[in-house]
Amino acid sequence: MTGAAVVFLIAYSYQVLARPASTLLTEGIMNVIWVLFVVDYVVSLILSDNRQFWFFRHLFDLATVVLPMLRPLRLLRLFMVLKVLNRTSGMALRGRIAIYVVGAVAMMIYVGALTVYDVEQYSPDRQIDDFGDAVWWAFVTVTTVGYGDYAPVTWQGRLVAAALMLGGITLIGVVSAMVASWIMERVQVGNQKMFTQNLEAHIEANLEAQLSRELNEDAKADAARDAQLEAKIDALSAQIALLTAERNAHKPS
Amino acid sequence: MTGAAVVFLIAYSYQVLARPASTLLTEGIMNVIWVLFVVDYVVSLILSDNRQFWFFRHLFDLATVVLPMLRPLRLLRLFMVLKVLNRTSGMALRGRIAIYVVGAVAMMIYVGALTVYDVEQYSPDRQIDDFGDAVWWAFVTVTTVGYGDYAPVTWQGRLVAAALMLGGITLIGVVSAMVASWIMERVQVGNQKMFTQNLEAHIEANLEAQLSRELNEDAKADAARDAQLEAKIDALSAQIALLTAERNAHKPS
Amino acid sequence: MTGAAVVFLIAYSYQVLARPASTLLTEGIMNVIWVLFVVDYVVSLILSDNRQFWFFRHLFDLATVVLPMLRPLRLLRLFMVLKVLNRTSGMALRGRIAIYVVGAVAMMIYVGALTVYDVEQYSPDRQIDDFGDAVWWAFVTVTTVGYGDYAPVTWQGRLVAAALMLGGITLIGVVSAMVASWIMERVQVGNQKMFTQNLEAHIEANLEAQLSRELNEDAKADAARDAQLEAKIDALSAQIALLTAERNAHKPS
Amino acid sequence: MTGAAVVFLIAYSYQVLARPASTLLTEGIMNVIWVLFVVDYVVSLILSDNRQFWFFRHLFDLATVVLPMLRPLRLLRLFMVLKVLNRTSGMALRGRIAIYVVGAVAMMIYVGALTVYDVEQYSPDRQIDDFGDAVWWAFVTVTTVGYGDYAPVTWQGRLVAAALMLGGITLIGVVSAMVASWIMERVQVGNQKMFTQNLEAHIEANLEAQLSRELNEDAKADAARDAQLEAKIDALSAQIALLTAERNAHKPS
């Protein structure tokens, strides 16, 4: 289906940008792909275990079936795959997000400009009358700068604009988040190192000292008791030695 | 009171959007609800333990009494309830915030567009002369894009715009924060795991080794002392054996 | 000096907003206060230990001396004092920042609108010709919405606008940061709790078990050695008992 | 090469801003520097170990060769050096980032305004017709305010605008991130302190108590066994004493 979306995007781009006299071929290709999407959607819905659940989880798919122009946005899933694929270190995570965001924003600008250029062309009050202007407008919108030198006047164009604006807010959010993550990682690693060292020092100073002291006291008590035993055995030994000496003194008599 | 706010919003929407010839009914409903609000406010104020404190904590309520159009915004509290209800894991927290933010932004856009459309209609210089344009304008304002193709010209409309702009800044903040939280959680979990493992390794290497060595030394000292005692007892035993052997040697004589 | 700044702000507001026929009094007050500022600046500079260092640390003061209109912004320091005063828990920190930011933004909008209204009034191309419009413009600028329905045309007005825009970017940053801090605190507390518990469990399972085992082995070795000693003493006791019994058996013979 | 970039920037600024009748000299200087850049690029490419890898890592250098106006932006690397130089504590890191960002934004505004002023001057529909306006426009763009009172109309100017907008989004991101880092460091240090203390308390309460109890039991068992030995030795001693006393009683008989 991804390949079909690519073909659809190319055919749609050709039809919108070239505005050829005869659009029969591209129109035909797009209709075929659209039918493909509808069939894909219906079959997926029927085959799903829990149709109601599937329906709510795939509202965006329904939107792409009703508004085929949105379909190319599903290509973004390709990036998503990249992202999910391997998640190892923090640096790598930010790298993957950066690549994904650059790709997603570029695609959003292209698809947004194309769609707005397409839907605005029949409005008599149109301000966007050139694909270059449409790309410029999409860029100005995504960055939330919004000069207002061009603005969509049809409700379809405004829907696309709304999507671009939300994308722009997300873009700001992701950029902020990535810088914040980078700064805080550096600051935090230092903080955590400090806390870990404090904790280690505390454990050594308190726990180890306490247990050593107890061990020492036990050892001393042990030694004292052993010394007492030794003294008693010595006394006994002396007693017996006296006994032996006495008997030896008797013997000659 | 939430139900009253919903009814008020519906009646107000009908009156603003349909602009019926006779607005007696909706006007009547809205006046009744407004009186309800005033009564609710006054009664709450009188019943409160500390009236002065209550007054300052409920300034927004006073605003909704004076400007009844703001009342529907109190519906946002419903979402707040949802948020406070259950706070378990991080993922779930972000999910609840996302739902709340989407709901709050949608409501702000609707109420903002409605109010601006209402208050701007009597201005001769008005730029917003259509509810669709008002929604478009509200969206452009909330995302801080601000094309400037439509802008409020009355001070009431500008007050609403100011509220929308503040909402938009908060929206950017929340989106940034949620992405940042997500990224940093992933990065941090790795960092913390590393620190925890380092700490564990350190404790094992240092504390455990130190205590084991002390235990070992104690055990050796114990064993040495016990060996000494044993030697003395052996010596004593030998002495007595000698004594016995001597006596046995005497006996026959 | 803070009081002087307040008086200056009031006099300046009166002169700009009322545009009285005779501005002799307010002009006089403002000149007096300006002289006060210059004297304060020069005296501070002369009295400072390290004049060069002081000069670079107080560039903003120099700016307020040269452009007296900026002086009221020094009132923001009052909030700063509040912030520095007591720094206890995280919640309280965010609360204080919120209060400071609200105050700072309100003051920036007021002073910005006042100054722009003042400097723009002599330009023939002026778009901002009303204090209400100036406040509206300042608000639109601070939130980075930038409709463009009003924009300063003089370089002085644009300088003020630049300051407001920078304030706006900082505002977005602070809001993002506060939401992020709030979300992450909740998420992180959970994570850290988990890590702490894992660490505790690990220490208990490994370190405690290991030391217990060693203690146990030592105790067993001890008991074994003691049992050996006991056996020897028992043997000795038996020997002596035999000796005694033999002698008792002899005695009668 | 940095010096060459500075000379290039000065020559370019002079040519664009002064618009002298004869631009032969500045044009000559710029051509010489441009040739220098091309030579530098080609030589670096040939000398690199892995040409393909080098090519992809230095795409920005290729851009500066093709569009010499971008060259001054390489000066930003100077700041980068500062940043990489010494990375110690969190506070210092944020300080260095702040300095770098202020420098980078100022340079971006200057180079952006210069380039747009240069490329727009030949367009008949141009809105930016004054270097002051160009700087104002660049500032409005970088802060993403986007009044729309001036906007580039040529594709080259719009490319520059796109770069400025991306810079602006990054600026918002960096400001958010720095405030967030500052707030969270304060909040987090408190949290981590709490967790560390909890962990310490737990270790003391559980591990230490458990080990102390075991040590105590061992010591008691030891003492008991020693007391038993002592009792046996005492008994033995009493036996021998009896033997001695009996023999002494016999002797006289």
Side-chain angles (χ1 to χ4, degrees), chain C residues 116 119-123 151-159, chain D residues 136:
Chain C
V116 160
V119 298
E120 292 275 301
Q121 66 183 319
Y122 305 113
S123 165
V153 292
T154 57
W155 69 263
Q156 299 102 319
R158 286 174 178 178
L159 263 186
Chain D
W136 165 243

Side-chain angles (χ1 to χ4, degrees), chain A residues 62-82:
Chain A
L62 179 61
T64 62
V65 164
V66 178
L67 267 81
M69 283 87 88
L70 293 175
R71 191 75 193 186
L73 283 175
R74 295 219 56 192
L75 286 173
L76 292 175
R77 294 241 172 136
L78 279 179
F79 293 101
M80 204 69 99
V81 169
L82 268 174

Side-chain angles (χ1 to χ4, degrees), chain A residues 93-94 177-178 180-185 188, chain B residues 178-191, chain C residues 180 184 188 191, chain D residues 180 184 188:
Chain A
L93 176 69
R94 280 198 292 272
M178 268 158 60
S181 160
W182 182 82
I183 293 182
M184 293 189 62
E185 200 185 349
Q188 232 182 27
Chain B
M178 268 159 59
V179 180
S181 159
W182 182 81
I183 293 182
M184 293 189 63
E185 201 185 350
R186 318 210 110 249
V187 174
Q188 233 182 26
V189 165
N191 278 348
Chain C
M184 293 189 63
Q188 232 181 28
N191 278 349
Chain D
M184 293 189 63
Q188 232 181 28

